[in-house]
Amino acid sequence: AQSVAQPEDQVNVAEGNPLTVKCTYSVSGNPYLFWYVQYPNRGLQFLLKYITGDNLVKGSYGFEAEFNKSQTSFHLKKPSALVSDSALYFCAVRSRPKIIFGSGTRLSIRP
Amino acid sequence: GAGVSQSPRYKVAKRGQDVALRCDPISGHVSLFWYQQALGQGPEFLTYFQNEAQLDKSGLPSDRFFAERPEGSVSTLKIQRTQQEDSAVYLCASSLVLAGSGEQYFGPGTRLTVT
């Protein structure tokens, strides 16, 4: 069965510092991974996806994610955090036809 | 362009009432999904449509839950005899391509509170 785990409920970062939101996966076959972001009272927004190819995937709003097969990880990163990045972030994996989401990590960026 | 829209945005129902939640997907999107998001958790899959055909309803928690998409565009999720455990945000998502082939675009959700 496909699954993802987000080990941190909350991540706190100062504005301007790099940020990492962690995700590990468990899949049978090749992984097809996503990151989504959820702002208050708004639906989930797609950030990026990994299918195959380069291990570093670039996405929206300056985010990127690093796929690491040996560590079964797909961590979300950004070189310099903005206060506006504060939101709930979900790692997810494809399990046809649906997407299976992690429990979410709340990212808080302090000025 | 217009995204996925859902109505109502908020719904309060008394236990035992029936509710109907509407989803308008992005025009031309073949695939439509319903998810349930409980407070503090990630969304969980309920059901999937490819055009008007409901191809997967494995996530529907009970036979009180029913979904339809009769003309392959607008979809309605109906919950009969609502219970308190049905309180959650119900998210609709659509995708241009067949399931699993691309990202899904989500609506803002309907927050259902059962009292």
Side-chain angles (χ1 to χ4, degrees):
Chain A
Q2 322 285 66
S3 67
V4 290
Q6 296 181 246
E8 304 157 316
D9 290 337
Q10 174 128 3
V11 170
N12 299 309
V13 177
E15 187 176 28
N17 283 1
L19 69 87
T20 298
V21 183
K22 296 180 180 177
C23 173
T24 58
Y25 65 88
S26 174
V27 302
S28 54
N30 294 322
Y32 195 134
L33 300 162
F34 302 87
W35 276 100
Y36 279 82
V37 59
Q38 188 172 39
Y39 297 99
N41 298 317
R42 291 166 64 178
L44 280 81
Q45 295 180 29
F46 169 79
L47 280 179
L48 50 80
K49 67 182 177 186
Y50 172 84
I51 306 173
T52 186
D54 288 343
N55 289 340
L56 188 64
V57 180
K58 294 192 181 297
S60 306
Y61 312 122
F63 283 93
E64 56 191 25
E66 185 173 11
F67 174 74
N68 187 315
K69 187 173 183 178
S70 63
Q71 297 186 4
T72 62
S73 66
F74 188 56
H75 300 333
L76 182 70
K77 301 184 178 187
K78 187 173 183 181
S80 178
L82 300 173
V83 172
S84 57
D85 292 331
S86 299
L88 189 56
Y89 290 80
F90 291 97
C91 181
V93 63
R94 181 184 72 173
S95 179
R96 283 182 185 267
K98 58 188 176 286
I99 294 177
I100 296 176
F101 290 87
S103 56
T105 298
R106 186 164 300 281
L107 178 63
S108 177
I109 309 300
R110 60 184 184 274
Chain B
V4 178
S5 61
Q6 294 184 244
S7 60
R9 291 292 311 277
Y10 303 91
K11 177 69 179 177
V12 178
K14 294 192 175 182
R15 191 165 64 92
Q17 282 185 331
D18 298 349
V19 299
L21 313 180
R22 177 187 169 107
C23 171
D24 284 84
I26 295 172
S27 178
H29 277 200
V30 170
S31 298
L32 185 144
F33 304 80
W34 284 98
Y35 291 84
Q36 180 190 59
Q37 186 176 18
L39 189 63
Q41 299 188 18
E44 294 191 359
F45 171 80
L46 294 177
T47 187
Y48 159 64
F49 290 86
Q50 180 181 312
N51 296 308
E52 69 279 2
Q54 188 175 21
L55 298 185
D56 189 328
K57 52 183 181 180
S58 61
L60 296 176
S62 77
D63 58 8
R64 296 185 296 103
F65 286 71
F66 171 76
E68 61 183 5
R69 193 187 185 198
E71 297 179 359
S73 55
V74 170
S75 177
T76 304
L77 176 67
K78 298 178 179 178
I79 309 174
Q80 297 176 326
R81 304 180 305 281
T82 52
Q83 304 293 316
Q84 283 194 316
E85 62 263 27
D86 300 335
S87 295
V89 175
Y90 291 85
L91 297 170
C92 176
S94 69
S95 177
L96 180 61
V97 295
L98 297 178
S101 303
E103 59 266 29
Q104 297 177 16
Y105 296 86
F106 284 79
T110 294
R111 182 178 297 278
L112 173 65
T113 302
V114 181
T115 60

